[in-house]
Amino acid sequence: MGKAEICLEEVLGAFDFGDPVVGAIRYGQGHINDTFVVHTQPEDACCRRFILQRMSAAAFKRPGELMENIIGVTEYLGREIESRGGDREREALRVIRPRNGAPYYTDRDGGAWRLYPFVEGTVCYQTARTPELFAASGRAFGQFQRRLQNYPAHTLHESIPRFHDTEDRLAKLKAAAAADKLGRAERCGAELRFMLDREADCSVALQALRSGVLPLRVTHNDTKLNNVLMDRNTGEGICIIDLDTVMPGLAINDFGDSIRFGANHSAEDERDLSKVNLDVSLFAIYTQAFLEGAGGALTAEEIAYLPWGAKLMTLECGIRFLTDYLEGDVYFHIQREEQNLDRCRTQCKLVSDMEAHWDELAAIVKQHQQACAAS
Ligand code: ADP
Ligand code: GN1
Ligand code: MG
């Protein structure tokens, strides 16, 4: 599929924006979709903005099912928010259909496009600038899970099969290393060994699910800090975005992916690994906020497994970056050579840090487990 820009004009014509479109430019720092912000100019008001996205064909093989999930979840969230006196336009995404009434638009190249109103007055952070911001994101993601507690999970399609199946992710890494299509394996021997040394870890959460210790819930599955829009003035988490991977999953994974991305002070692709360190105090802050947001929805076992969620999401993401590096950067967008290898290295460093601080992490969650049990 060609660059998204090639079909942009056609796609802009396929939606009714209400007012003349005055511009559309690339937007955001997501690794998966092609995202544009569209500006329109009403006659007698300030410009209005929209988020237009071409869904990644590499990641999402069935855009129809994906949009069915998103429409179902956003409408449910909207009703839930409204029933509690909230503002559904601000606190939930809303899909705007193309002129032909379909849930998304297919361009002449086969690209699948969707449109949302831009949630104004919000900021999307790439790193946790303050502990308060990180806590606010934790409350928002915890609350997201609580809001979807009674969503009919069986109606959701698996938008990416085996998305957080860490065993399968490792198997795919082994296959990519064996194929070594681009001759890159020798440059990442240490990282590959790091992953293989942790093969037994890859089964911990899945085993707990299989044995019934951890329940399946409706989860977001991609809970990076930049997938929650924060209020520009108050810093509160307003709207959870990037709903492509909302599927039945494990609560500990939603917790864990946030820790992976946010409980440190470096970029995901930082090359100076001395700057990449797990911040245990941010882990503690997020734990408290996430549990507050989840409002008693998590079981004692889930709380006990939270450190595993953090470690496994980090390990798994490292495995995925390394696989993509070996396969020629076909999945995660890159802006420079070796970026996926750099991303893999930060994940290895964070996993090592979590292992080094394991007892502290376990003590933090234990404290919360006891507090939850007492309340
Ligand atoms: P990706 O899957 O590529 O990460 P996202 O859906 O997360 O795509 O969108 C990419 C970025 O676009 C987000 O990080 C955020 O900055 C911005 N964004 C997405 N949806 C909205 C929205 N409705 N309002 C404002 N900004 C948005
Ligand atoms: C992708 O879409 P985005 O940029 O929020 C990826 C996540 C990874 C993350 C790593 C659908 O998230 O699973 O953890 O990159 N999303 C998908 O930064 O694969
Ligand atoms: Mg995103």
Side-chain angles (χ1 to χ4, degrees):
M1 193 167 296
K3 277 198 70 152
E5 277 79 359
I6 296 171
C7 293
L8 199 51
E9 216 176 296
E10 171 196 339
V11 175
L12 289 170
F15 289 90
D16 178 7
F17 290 91
D19 299 297
V21 171
V22 291
I25 45 168
R26 286 231 171 224
Y27 189 78
Q29 298 194 30
H31 294 339
I32 302 296
N33 297 305
D34 290 291
T35 302
F36 296 83
V37 60
V38 179
H39 292 240
T40 66
Q41 185 58 68
E43 224 166 76
D44 49 5
C46 295
C47 89
R48 280 176 69 208
R49 298 194 288 177
F50 298 82
I51 288 285
L52 178 66
Q53 289 183 315
R54 183 176 75 169
M55 293 169 255
S56 162
F60 308 112
K61 306 296 176 207
R62 296 197 177 93
E65 291 187 358
L66 174 63
M67 290 308 293
E68 213 178 295
N69 281 358
I70 294 189
I71 290 172
V73 167
T74 50
E75 288 183 351
Y76 182 93
L77 284 172
R79 285 192 296 274
E80 171 76 16
I81 289 161
E82 213 165 46
S83 74
R84 288 167 200 269
D87 178 353
R88 68 184 290 171
E89 271 297 289
R90 211 166 132 70
E91 295 173 42
L93 288 177
R94 175 170 60 84
V95 173
I96 303 172
R97 290 174 185 258
R99 293 181 199 272
N100 66 14
Y104 63 96
Y105 178 73
T106 307
D107 69 32
R108 59 176 188 268
D109 223 10
W113 296 77
R114 65 174 169 229
L115 185 71
Y116 298 120
F118 191 103
V119 182
E120 297 291 353
T122 60
V123 184
C124 174
Y125 292 97
Q126 304 303 323
T127 56
R129 296 220 185 134
T130 63
E132 289 76 24
L133 270 178
F134 195 44
S137 75
R139 272 192 295 279
F141 280 122
Q143 184 187 54
F144 181 82
Q145 219 164 87
R146 181 159 53 105
R147 282 179 171 163
L148 290 176
Q149 221 177 157
N150 298 317
Y151 190 86
H154 66 276
T155 62
L156 286 171
H157 303 284
E158 219 182 342
S159 52
I160 301 183
R162 310 185 83 170
F163 189 56
H164 285 321
D165 180 335
T166 317
E167 292 169 348
D168 185 56
R169 294 290 188 181
L170 188 69
K172 289 191 170 119
L173 172 62
K174 286 183 193 170
D180 195 16
K181 272 202 313 226
L182 290 115
R184 289 178 164 182
E186 68 172 8
R187 266 182 282 169
C188 54
E191 290 74 20
L192 196 54
R193 258 190 316 281
F194 184 94
M195 306 309 184
L196 295 175
D197 284 347
R198 286 158 181 79
E199 179 151 22
D201 290 345
C202 295
S203 298
V204 169
L206 291 168
Q207 196 44 42
L209 173 66
R210 288 191 281 257
S211 61
V213 172
L214 294 178
L216 210 54
R217 298 182 182 279
V218 173
T219 48
H220 183 282
N221 295 304
D222 188 3
T223 51
K224 294 200 289 196
L225 180 68
N226 64 12
N227 284 332
V228 50
L229 303 177
M230 323 289 290
D231 187 282
R232 184 179 293 287
N233 299 317
T234 66
E236 274 310 297
I238 297 297
C239 182
I240 303 290
I241 59 168
D242 207 345
L243 304 176
D244 295 320
T245 50
V246 173
M247 285 182 276
L250 296 177
I252 65 164
N253 290 344
D254 274 8
F255 170 85
D257 199 45
S258 293
I259 297 296
R260 173 190 82 72
F261 190 79
N264 64 76
H265 301 279
S266 53
E268 201 179 44
D269 60 351
E270 174 61 58
R271 276 183 274 196
D272 179 354
L273 293 180
S274 71
K275 292 187 183 155
V276 182
N277 301 298
L278 174 75
D279 183 329
V280 176
S281 68
L282 285 181
F283 177 95
I285 286 166
Y286 192 91
T287 303
Q288 180 167 3
F290 185 78
L291 292 176
E292 243 171 61
L298 267 56
T299 66
E301 285 77 15
E302 285 176 299
I303 299 175
Y305 270 80
L306 290 178
W308 274 109
K311 177 169 165 181
L312 287 171
M313 283 300 94
T314 314
L315 184 65
E316 184 188 283
C317 204
I319 290 172
R320 294 172 62 199
F321 287 142
L322 191 56
T323 308
D324 200 33
Y325 173 69
L326 288 165
E327 291 181 339
D329 311 305
V330 290
Y331 187 89
F332 294 106
H333 291 173
I334 54 162
Q335 286 80 39
R336 57 177 163 81
E337 279 258 311
E338 309 238 312
Q339 195 172 7
N340 273 320
L341 181 55
D342 292 334
R343 288 172 177 154
C344 164
R345 289 181 172 143
T346 62
Q347 305 306 291
C348 294
K349 175 73 191 295
L350 290 170
V351 168
S352 299
D353 263 15
M354 289 175 194
E355 290 170 347
H357 291 283
W358 196 252
D359 292 346
E360 280 171 78
L361 305 186
I364 290 165
V365 302
K366 191 156 187 199
Q367 197 189 326
H368 287 288
Q369 204 183 16
Q370 284 162 350
C372 287
S375 66

